[in-house]
Amino acid sequence: MQVTLKIFRFNPETDKKPSYKTYQVEAQPTDRVLDLLEYIKSTIDGTLSFRRSCAHGICGSDAMRINGRNRLACKALVKDLGNRITVEPLLGMRVLKDMIVDMEPFFENYRQVMPYFINDEPPPARERLQSIEERERFDDTTKCILCAACTTSCPSFWANEKYVGPAAIVNAHRFIFDSRDRAGKERLDILNGQFGVYRCHTIFNCTDACPREIQVTKAIGEVKAAIATGKLD
Ligand code: SF4
Ligand code: F3S
Ligand code: FES
């Protein structure tokens, strides 16, 4: 089938403003948008810029807006999109070139919530044990691949980029509710701050956008409840 791709193009070093360029390519229904972008880059226009690495939905580097919705280009199939496909960078981030956006503010928000295991108690002789139920408590939020599709689809983040955003809260949730971690209360204090969870107005765009099908809004609600009750279980 013939597919027409309308692709956002912007090189701040040479262009006064962004524009869209249109490319016609021959595609199979089972091709991914990433395959088409790779084809255009290798045969039509080598200056086309986008991030990608794994090509299998794991590294999180190729999140972009495809037909108006945040998706991973390596998981977006032509047969689900039709023969006219628009590709744009994530919203709310500074464009460095074409689909490449400046991820540093996103990772700065992520680092704020201390997204790593903290426990200064002496380790036991073997591993730190955890029951199946305790592990299930945060299972969903372990699946995050830091693609930023959630945060960059959130109107509260568009309104104020200092809002830590759903991705940071998901990664805080992963440790707050880990029975082996000891810094849950500190993370809740951070998320109770001016740019924390109460910037979330339960709009659900984040949940719709997540390519890992994480229940993002539910996780945010659980963090809000823990702040309100002071309970981590
Ligand atoms: Fe991406 Fe989902 Fe993680 Fe958000 S929660 S960064 S959408 S994987
Ligand atoms: Fe934004 Fe998701 Fe909350 S879209 S407002 S973080 S539910
Ligand atoms: Fe790694 Fe798409 S290229 S998630």
PDB file of all heavy atoms in Angstrom, residues 151-164:
ATOM      1  N   THR A 151       3.791  12.041  30.525  1.00  0.00           N
ATOM      2  CA  THR A 151       4.011  13.420  30.992  1.00  0.00           C
ATOM      3  C   THR A 151       3.737  14.425  29.878  1.00  0.00           C
ATOM      4  O   THR A 151       3.126  15.472  30.115  1.00  0.00           O
ATOM      5  CB  THR A 151       5.455  13.561  31.520  1.00  0.00           C
ATOM      6  OG1 THR A 151       5.595  12.702  32.664  1.00  0.00           O
ATOM      7  CG2 THR A 151       5.772  14.988  31.921  1.00  0.00           C
ATOM      8  N   THR A 152       4.143  14.098  28.652  1.00  0.00           N
ATOM      9  CA  THR A 152       3.975  15.062  27.558  1.00  0.00           C
ATOM     10  C   THR A 152       2.576  15.025  26.949  1.00  0.00           C
ATOM     11  O   THR A 152       2.314  15.739  25.984  1.00  0.00           O
ATOM     12  CB  THR A 152       5.026  14.822  26.454  1.00  0.00           C
ATOM     13  OG1 THR A 152       4.885  13.490  25.972  1.00  0.00           O
ATOM     14  CG2 THR A 152       6.424  15.040  26.990  1.00  0.00           C
ATOM     15  N   SER A 153       1.687  14.216  27.509  1.00  0.00           N
ATOM     16  CA  SER A 153       0.278  14.273  27.082  1.00  0.00           C
ATOM     17  C   SER A 153      -0.585  14.907  28.175  1.00  0.00           C
ATOM     18  O   SER A 153      -1.804  14.973  28.034  1.00  0.00           O
ATOM     19  CB  SER A 153      -0.248  12.867  26.762  1.00  0.00           C
ATOM     20  OG  SER A 153      -0.332  12.101  27.952  1.00  0.00           O
ATOM     21  N   CYS A 154       0.037  15.369  29.246  1.00  0.00           N
ATOM     22  CA  CYS A 154      -0.702  15.855  30.417  1.00  0.00           C
ATOM     23  C   CYS A 154      -0.907  17.377  30.352  1.00  0.00           C
ATOM     24  O   CYS A 154       0.075  18.128  30.363  1.00  0.00           O
ATOM     25  CB  CYS A 154       0.065  15.496  31.686  1.00  0.00           C
ATOM     26  SG  CYS A 154      -0.624  16.274  33.150  1.00  0.00           S
ATOM     27  N   PRO A 155      -2.148  17.847  30.300  1.00  0.00           N
ATOM     28  CA  PRO A 155      -2.387  19.292  30.247  1.00  0.00           C
ATOM     29  C   PRO A 155      -1.806  20.043  31.451  1.00  0.00           C
ATOM     30  O   PRO A 155      -1.400  21.200  31.315  1.00  0.00           O
ATOM     31  CB  PRO A 155      -3.922  19.395  30.218  1.00  0.00           C
ATOM     32  CG  PRO A 155      -4.358  18.092  29.617  1.00  0.00           C
ATOM     33  CD  PRO A 155      -3.385  17.072  30.129  1.00  0.00           C
ATOM     34  N   SER A 156      -1.741  19.404  32.601  1.00  0.00           N
ATOM     35  CA  SER A 156      -1.151  20.081  33.763  1.00  0.00           C
ATOM     36  C   SER A 156       0.345  20.305  33.547  1.00  0.00           C
ATOM     37  O   SER A 156       0.897  21.323  33.965  1.00  0.00           O
ATOM     38  CB  SER A 156      -1.363  19.253  35.035  1.00  0.00           C
ATOM     39  OG  SER A 156      -2.732  19.143  35.300  1.00  0.00           O
ATOM     40  N   PHE A 157       1.007  19.380  32.880  1.00  0.00           N
ATOM     41  CA  PHE A 157       2.430  19.554  32.546  1.00  0.00           C
ATOM     42  C   PHE A 157       2.597  20.619  31.465  1.00  0.00           C
ATOM     43  O   PHE A 157       3.514  21.437  31.528  1.00  0.00           O
ATOM     44  CB  PHE A 157       3.039  18.222  32.094  1.00  0.00           C
ATOM     45  CG  PHE A 157       4.462  18.343  31.637  1.00  0.00           C
ATOM     46  CD1 PHE A 157       5.492  18.518  32.549  1.00  0.00           C
ATOM     47  CD2 PHE A 157       4.780  18.301  30.282  1.00  0.00           C
ATOM     48  CE1 PHE A 157       6.813  18.655  32.126  1.00  0.00           C
ATOM     49  CE2 PHE A 157       6.090  18.431  29.855  1.00  0.00           C
ATOM     50  CZ  PHE A 157       7.106  18.609  30.782  1.00  0.00           C
ATOM     51  N   TRP A 158       1.708  20.623  30.473  1.00  0.00           N
ATOM     52  CA  TRP A 158       1.797  21.663  29.441  1.00  0.00           C
ATOM     53  C   TRP A 158       1.673  23.052  30.093  1.00  0.00           C
ATOM     54  O   TRP A 158       2.325  23.999  29.682  1.00  0.00           O
ATOM     55  CB  TRP A 158       0.675  21.513  28.403  1.00  0.00           C
ATOM     56  CG  TRP A 158       0.708  20.252  27.615  1.00  0.00           C
ATOM     57  CD1 TRP A 158       1.786  19.435  27.381  1.00  0.00           C
ATOM     58  CD2 TRP A 158      -0.398  19.639  26.947  1.00  0.00           C
ATOM     59  NE1 TRP A 158       1.412  18.357  26.618  1.00  0.00           N
ATOM     60  CE2 TRP A 158       0.082  18.447  26.332  1.00  0.00           C
ATOM     61  CE3 TRP A 158      -1.744  19.958  26.794  1.00  0.00           C
ATOM     62  CZ2 TRP A 158      -0.736  17.615  25.581  1.00  0.00           C
ATOM     63  CZ3 TRP A 158      -2.568  19.123  26.044  1.00  0.00           C
ATOM     64  CH2 TRP A 158      -2.071  17.964  25.454  1.00  0.00           C
ATOM     65  N   ALA A 159       0.794  23.134  31.113  1.00  0.00           N
ATOM     66  CA  ALA A 159       0.559  24.434  31.764  1.00  0.00           C
ATOM     67  C   ALA A 159       1.770  24.864  32.597  1.00  0.00           C
ATOM     68  O   ALA A 159       2.042  26.059  32.737  1.00  0.00           O
ATOM     69  CB  ALA A 159      -0.686  24.363  32.650  1.00  0.00           C
ATOM     70  N   ASN A 160       2.479  23.890  33.169  1.00  0.00           N
ATOM     71  CA  ASN A 160       3.622  24.240  34.020  1.00  0.00           C
ATOM     72  C   ASN A 160       4.619  23.078  34.030  1.00  0.00           C
ATOM     73  O   ASN A 160       4.369  22.041  34.650  1.00  0.00           O
ATOM     74  CB  ASN A 160       3.149  24.532  35.454  1.00  0.00           C
ATOM     75  CG  ASN A 160       4.252  25.140  36.285  1.00  0.00           C
ATOM     76  OD1 ASN A 160       5.443  24.893  36.054  1.00  0.00           O
ATOM     77  ND2 ASN A 160       3.873  25.954  37.251  1.00  0.00           N
ATOM     78  N   GLU A 161       5.752  23.274  33.351  1.00  0.00           N
ATOM     79  CA  GLU A 161       6.704  22.164  33.204  1.00  0.00           C
ATOM     80  C   GLU A 161       7.415  21.831  34.516  1.00  0.00           C
ATOM     81  O   GLU A 161       8.161  20.854  34.597  1.00  0.00           O
ATOM     82  CB  GLU A 161       7.712  22.439  32.092  1.00  0.00           C
ATOM     83  CG  GLU A 161       8.657  23.575  32.390  1.00  0.00           C
ATOM     84  CD  GLU A 161       9.787  23.678  31.374  1.00  0.00           C
ATOM     85  OE1 GLU A 161       9.699  23.108  30.287  1.00  0.00           O
ATOM     86  OE2 GLU A 161      10.775  24.362  31.711  1.00  0.00           O
ATOM     87  N   LYS A 162       7.177  22.651  35.558  1.00  0.00           N
ATOM     88  CA  LYS A 162       7.762  22.299  36.856  1.00  0.00           C
ATOM     89  C   LYS A 162       6.968  21.185  37.543  1.00  0.00           C
ATOM     90  O   LYS A 162       7.455  20.585  38.508  1.00  0.00           O
ATOM     91  CB  LYS A 162       7.817  23.525  37.759  1.00  0.00           C
ATOM     92  CG  LYS A 162       8.900  24.491  37.358  1.00  0.00           C
ATOM     93  CD  LYS A 162       9.091  25.523  38.434  1.00  0.00           C
ATOM     94  CE  LYS A 162      10.190  26.477  38.055  1.00  0.00           C
ATOM     95  NZ  LYS A 162      10.117  27.706  38.838  1.00  0.00           N
ATOM     96  N   TYR A 163       5.720  20.961  37.113  1.00  0.00           N
ATOM     97  CA  TYR A 163       4.956  19.815  37.636  1.00  0.00           C
ATOM     98  C   TYR A 163       5.802  18.554  37.387  1.00  0.00           C
ATOM     99  O   TYR A 163       6.210  18.312  36.256  1.00  0.00           O
ATOM    100  CB  TYR A 163       3.604  19.738  36.928  1.00  0.00           C
ATOM    101  CG  TYR A 163       2.842  18.458  37.141  1.00  0.00           C
ATOM    102  CD1 TYR A 163       2.821  17.810  38.385  1.00  0.00           C
ATOM    103  CD2 TYR A 163       2.125  17.869  36.094  1.00  0.00           C
ATOM    104  CE1 TYR A 163       2.129  16.622  38.564  1.00  0.00           C
ATOM    105  CE2 TYR A 163       1.417  16.691  36.277  1.00  0.00           C
ATOM    106  CZ  TYR A 163       1.435  16.065  37.505  1.00  0.00           C
ATOM    107  OH  TYR A 163       0.753  14.889  37.684  1.00  0.00           O
ATOM    108  N   VAL A 164       6.047  17.773  38.436  1.00  0.00           N
ATOM    109  CA  VAL A 164       6.953  16.615  38.254  1.00  0.00           C
ATOM    110  C   VAL A 164       6.451  15.658  37.182  1.00  0.00           C
ATOM    111  O   VAL A 164       7.236  14.995  36.515  1.00  0.00           O
ATOM    112  CB  VAL A 164       7.198  15.815  39.564  1.00  0.00           C
ATOM    113  CG1 VAL A 164       8.013  16.616  40.549  1.00  0.00           C
ATOM    114  CG2 VAL A 164       5.917  15.287  40.144  1.00  0.00           C
TER     115      VAL A 164
END
